[in-house]
Amino acid sequence: MTVSINAKDLVKNYGNIRVVDGISFSAGRGDVVGFLGPNGAGKTTTMRMLTGFLLPDAGSVDICEINLHTKPQDAKSRIGYLPEGAPLYGDMTVLDFLRYTGAVRKIRASQLKIQVDDVINRIQLDSVVDKRIDNLSKGYKRRVGIAQAILHDPEILIMDEPTDGLDPSQKIEVRQLIREMAADKVIILSTHILEEVEAVCNRVVIIAGGKLLTDKSPGELIQDHQNSLEVAFLELIKGQQART
Ligand SMILES: Nc1ncnc2c1ncn2[C@@H]1O[C@H](COP(=O)(O)OP(=O)(O)OP(=O)(O)O)[C@@H](O)[C@H]1O
Ligand SMILES: [Mg+2]
């Protein structure tokens, strides 16, 4: 099976505002793609369409060569998704939530315990497994979100600001985890931290005003803009604003 994601001409309108305006890109096994862009650029909306949580008004998504719209169950089984914000089901304990997520993902009971234990260990959730999700701190809620996204070892992992709200050592741990998982997956993440892109991504996709402005390696982007990712980001965003 090919580990890949293909998005073609994605469009989303809210009322008469076009918030995603013809975004296309592809990624394959080993790619870690960082979505960068100002607030309101359309990153979350694009990610929600890539995961099948939001139906595009136009365009298509293929997950491992399976069409997300005609075969949603098959395609979605290969996706792990960390949405923006906190996980749902705040009245469940962390352990119950992870078991529930595994059951929904149809992981066999014998395998489920092993995978839940593994993810608790990897994301360092041991101290909170019996706490209700609602009562966790922001960073721990984020960690639970990451745990549910990787529980079934998906080929395609889409994470909306995975390190938002984490303490510095957890940020480092999560970046390390992303690097470890990258080899046999496609990972797409959004972030507002430029150094994070340099630390984990081999591709940078800059989105502004619902459009994809660039899709390059961090090295190429930096080289093209005075050896600085900051300069690259600011120049590209300014260019987009000048055009609109
Ligand atoms: N359900 C909705 N109804 C109406 N407008 C929406 C809805 N969801 C998003 N938008 C609008 O779509 C645009 C893109 O939002 P989106 O959340 O995709 O941006 P983003 O790039 O993820 O921003 P941030 O960096 O702040 O997370 C924004 O103008 C937002 O207000
Ligand atoms: Mg967002």
Side-chain angles (χ1 to χ4, degrees):
M1 182 201 47
T2 324
V3 176
S4 64
I5 182 166
N6 262 289
K8 204 163 179 308
D9 296 327
L10 290 176
V11 171
K12 187 71 198 173
N13 302 308
Y14 284 119
N16 53 10
I17 300 173
R18 183 156 289 193
V19 300
V20 174
D21 189 6
I23 287 191
S24 301
F25 77 98
S26 307
R29 187 190 290 267
D31 275 336
V32 181
V33 183
F35 279 12
L36 278 179
N39 293 133
K43 302 178 297 295
T44 295
T45 309
T46 301
M47 289 180 140
R48 295 184 72 206
M49 291 192 282
L50 296 178
T51 56
F53 275 77
L54 183 68
L55 211 61
D57 292 323
S60 64
V61 178
D62 288 329
I63 300 294
C64 304
E65 298 179 336
I66 303 160
N67 188 278
L68 182 58
H69 310 296
T70 57
K71 291 186 173 169
Q73 270 192 330
D74 198 359
K76 281 186 185 180
S77 71
R78 294 159 202 278
I79 302 173
Y81 176 39
L82 170 70
E84 208 172 37
L88 302 168
Y89 308 111
D91 55 343
M92 280 191 189
T93 66
V94 171
L95 189 59
D96 285 344
F97 175 64
L98 292 175
R99 285 177 178 157
Y100 170 76
T101 305
V104 170
R105 290 290 190 183
K106 298 194 166 62
I107 300 173
R108 272 182 295 122
S110 55
Q111 189 60 26
L112 183 57
K113 189 182 171 343
I114 298 169
Q115 288 186 222
V116 167
D117 284 350
D118 178 56
V119 93
I120 286 170
N121 190 27
R122 287 171 91 173
I123 312 292
Q124 297 169 30
L125 288 170
D126 325 63
S127 60
V128 298
V129 282
D130 295 322
K131 285 197 177 165
R132 276 167 44 122
I133 291 173
D134 268 345
N135 296 343
L136 298 178
S137 71
K138 185 170 78 172
Y140 269 103
K141 282 182 183 153
R142 207 77 198 122
R143 291 199 217 178
V144 172
I146 295 171
Q148 66 74 30
I150 65 172
L151 182 66
H152 57 300
D153 195 23
E155 285 94 348
I156 313 294
L157 184 55
I158 298 180
M159 297 194 282
D160 204 347
E161 299 190 35
T163 63
D164 183 42
L166 299 184
D167 66 49
S169 62
Q170 266 300 310
K171 276 193 167 72
I172 293 165
E173 296 275 349
V174 167
R175 288 174 193 161
Q176 181 60 32
L177 181 70
I178 290 169
R179 280 192 291 263
E180 280 169 23
M181 292 188 301
D184 58 350
K185 295 188 194 306
V186 175
I187 301 180
I188 299 173
L189 59 91
S190 66
T191 180
H192 290 297
I193 308 170
L194 296 180
E195 69 184 43
E196 190 157 283
V197 170
E198 287 190 88
V200 297
C201 300
N202 69 326
R203 282 175 52 191
V204 189
V205 164
I206 298 184
I207 297 174
K211 288 189 157 71
L212 192 154
L213 304 187
T214 196
D215 178 354
K216 288 184 177 170
S217 74
E220 282 172 306
L221 199 57
I222 289 166
Q223 214 170 35
D224 293 350
H225 296 269
Q226 300 170 37
N227 285 322
S228 158
L229 198 53
E230 238 166 78
V231 173
F233 183 76
L234 292 173
E235 285 186 354
L236 287 161
I237 299 302
K238 257 196 230 152
Q240 160 72 7
Q241 283 166 345
R243 282 193 294 277
T244 53

